[in-house]
């Protein structure tokens, strides 16, 4: 069965092309309906679009892909899925940094680092723990770069600032 799966994936080479992935994720974000499942699917597809556009270097489109997620709703929808919440804030912060919106990037990275700090203190080692800690270190490094480009005193949480030093 493993050989059949490999052969199938090789035959479907275009399915992982950026254009197809962007079209599929875009279609998922536009799914309508009252079902909670469809709303959550659209939310996670928006995060997927954010990630793909960020990886492709299209930072304006990356931020546009999450415009449909408002702030309070975004927190409620993604906070239950730790990896999605981290991906949302990490890639948003990175896109903001690349667009030279340093104050917004600092705010985003600070929120992310505070969230991961709470998760780290409240959670035992899950299967995602090492990946989350890797993102934690990367977010600290990006925050350090952002603060070097745009120094701010009051925008960074005291616990985050202490960890940076």
């Amino acid at each position: 069965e493993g050989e059949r799966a490999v052969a199938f994936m090789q035959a479907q080479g275009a399915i992982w092309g950026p254009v197809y992935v962007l079209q599929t994720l875009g279609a998922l974000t536009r799914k309508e309906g009252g079902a909670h499942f469809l709303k959550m699917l659209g939310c996670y597809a928006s995060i997927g679009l954010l990630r793909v556009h960020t990886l492709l270097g299209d930072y304006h489109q990356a931020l546009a892909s999450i415009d449909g997620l408002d702030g309070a709703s975004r927190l409620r929808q993604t906070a239950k899925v730790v990896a999605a919440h981290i991906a949302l804030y990490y890639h948003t912060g990175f896109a903001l940094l690349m667009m030279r919106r340093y104050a917004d990037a600092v705010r985003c990275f600070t929120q992310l680092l505070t969230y991961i700090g709470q998760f780290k203190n409240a959670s035992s080692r899950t299967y995602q723990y090492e990946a989350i800690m890797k993102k934690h270190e990367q977010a600290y490094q990006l925050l350090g770069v952002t603060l070097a480009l745009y120094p701010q005193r009051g925008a960074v949480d005291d616990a985050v600032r202490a960890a940076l030093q």
Side-chain angles (χ1 to χ4, degrees), residues 65-130:
S65 67
I66 58 168
D67 277 347
L69 303 175
D70 64 67
S73 172
R74 182 184 318 171
L75 287 175
R76 278 193 309 274
Q77 290 172 339
T78 63
K80 294 177 185 173
V81 180
V82 176
H85 193 76
I86 290 171
L88 173 66
Y89 280 89
Y90 179 83
H91 289 91
T92 300
F94 188 84
L96 291 166
L97 172 62
M98 293 292 106
M99 293 173 52
R100 297 181 180 161
R101 290 176 51 187
Y102 301 123
D104 294 332
V106 167
R107 189 170 31 260
C108 199
F109 288 132
T110 301
Q111 288 175 343
L112 171 62
L113 291 166
T114 302
Y115 174 79
I116 293 176
Q118 292 168 351
F119 170 80
K120 187 169 68 169
N121 294 336
S123 154
S124 63
R125 289 190 174 255
T126 66
Y127 68 97
Q128 296 178 330
Y129 187 81
E130 287 186 26

Side-chain angles (χ1 to χ4, degrees), residues 45-60:
S46 294
I47 295 169
L49 274 174
L50 168 70
R51 291 178 72 172
V52 172
H53 284 300
T54 301
L55 290 171
L56 293 174
D58 189 354
Y59 306 115
H60 291 282

